[in-house]
Amino acid sequence: MESIILKYYPDIAESQRESFRTMFRLYPEWNDKINVISRKDIENLGVNHILHSLAIAKFIRFAPGTRVMDFGTGGGFPGLPLAVMFPECRFHLVDRTGKKLKVASEVAEACGLENVTFQHGDVAECKEKFDFVVSRAVMPQPDLLKICRKNISADCHNAIPNGLISLKGGELSGDLGKLLSSSEVINISDYFDEPFFGTKKVVYTPAR
């Protein structure tokens, strides 16, 4: 199963490969107990969830020390695959659903990820600052940015300004609204050639 990751990231370390192997093993086991991923979709874990999360790693190579919040992480996507890919960065995963966050926490521990923290509750309760907020199809981009802008630091350590990076699908003019002109939209099919990614996008909006 990890071959789908190695297809696009052949140079990752053995420790990272082992973490992805652990994800491929544990998510189906947990999904039998807690419905983190649709029962019909768990067989597509590699492409539709892990690789999809890693599209962000094609868009940007986070500099060491980068702090990232995953808003609405659910069972750990895109945060956990990104934490494996960027071990020198810090990831803070936030979600309101405790049982899903428990799965993410258990998977992170099994993967030996020491660069991940978790918060159960509303992002409004989070006072920390981050370089980027990442999210996967949680809500329209303007609403998301309005909520999390307070958590995005003005200090920039990467090749692009700090901001919001979302994974979305389909036609986005309605989703982006007034942010359409200031956002960058990238077709994930430019990175990955699986049919699933035909309508999927990475959307980046600077916070300022």
Side-chain angles (χ1 to χ4, degrees):
M1 290 289 286
E2 82 211 61
S3 60
I4 191 63
I5 310 300
L6 297 179
K7 177 181 177 180
Y8 296 103
Y9 298 95
D11 298 326
I12 59 175
E14 177 57 33
S15 59
Q16 293 169 303
R17 296 185 186 197
E18 183 58 34
S19 291
F20 286 124
R21 290 186 201 114
T22 299
M23 287 186 186
F24 279 113
R25 176 172 56 84
L26 286 185
Y27 273 115
E29 293 178 5
W30 273 107
N31 216 55
D32 286 339
K33 307 170 190 174
I34 299 173
N35 194 20
V36 175
I37 297 169
S38 165
R39 306 280 187 194
K40 297 178 181 179
D41 202 32
I42 189 64
E43 64 185 32
N44 301 312
L45 171 68
V47 170
N48 295 13
H49 299 278
I50 297 178
L51 189 60
H52 189 203
S53 299
L54 294 176
I56 292 174
K58 287 292 187 183
F59 172 68
I60 178 174
R61 299 294 300 178
F62 291 126
T66 297
R67 299 154 299 166
V68 181
M69 176 202 285
D70 180 0
F71 177 49
T73 188
F77 302 105
L80 291 188
L82 291 173
V84 173
M85 193 61 67
F86 299 104
E88 296 181 338
C89 300
R90 304 293 304 181
F91 292 84
H92 185 61
L93 279 57
V94 182
D95 202 273
R96 291 179 174 179
T97 306
K99 63 181 182 180
K100 290 186 176 183
L101 210 60
K102 173 180 171 55
V103 173
S105 177
E106 293 287 346
V107 171
E109 183 176 357
C111 290
L113 297 177
E114 298 180 352
N115 60 333
V116 181
T117 54
F118 299 90
Q119 178 184 328
H120 176 213
D122 197 296
V123 72
E125 301 166 0
C126 181
K127 309 302 181 186
E128 296 179 55
K129 295 286 188 179
F130 303 89
D131 300 293
F132 292 93
V133 173
V134 299
S135 190
R136 192 167 76 138
V138 171
M139 64 179 65
Q141 198 86 337
D143 298 338
L144 187 52
L145 185 59
K146 182 178 180 180
I147 292 171
C148 67
R149 194 193 299 268
K150 67 177 178 58
N151 297 105
I152 301 177
S153 170
D155 300 326
C156 182
H157 310 287
N158 285 270
I160 59 175
N162 295 354
L164 171 62
I165 305 173
S166 299
L167 294 170
K168 295 182 178 291
E171 205 283 319
L172 294 178
S173 59
D175 182 289
L176 289 175
K178 63 183 180 181
L179 295 180
L180 183 61
S181 61
S182 60
S183 298
E184 185 176 353
V185 179
I186 302 93
N187 294 319
I188 297 181
S189 58
D190 291 347
Y191 305 141
F192 307 141
D193 57 23
E194 282 69 25
F196 172 76
F197 299 111
T199 61
K200 304 299 183 183
K201 321 281 186 184
V202 174
V203 182
Y204 161 65
T205 306
R208 292 167 180 82

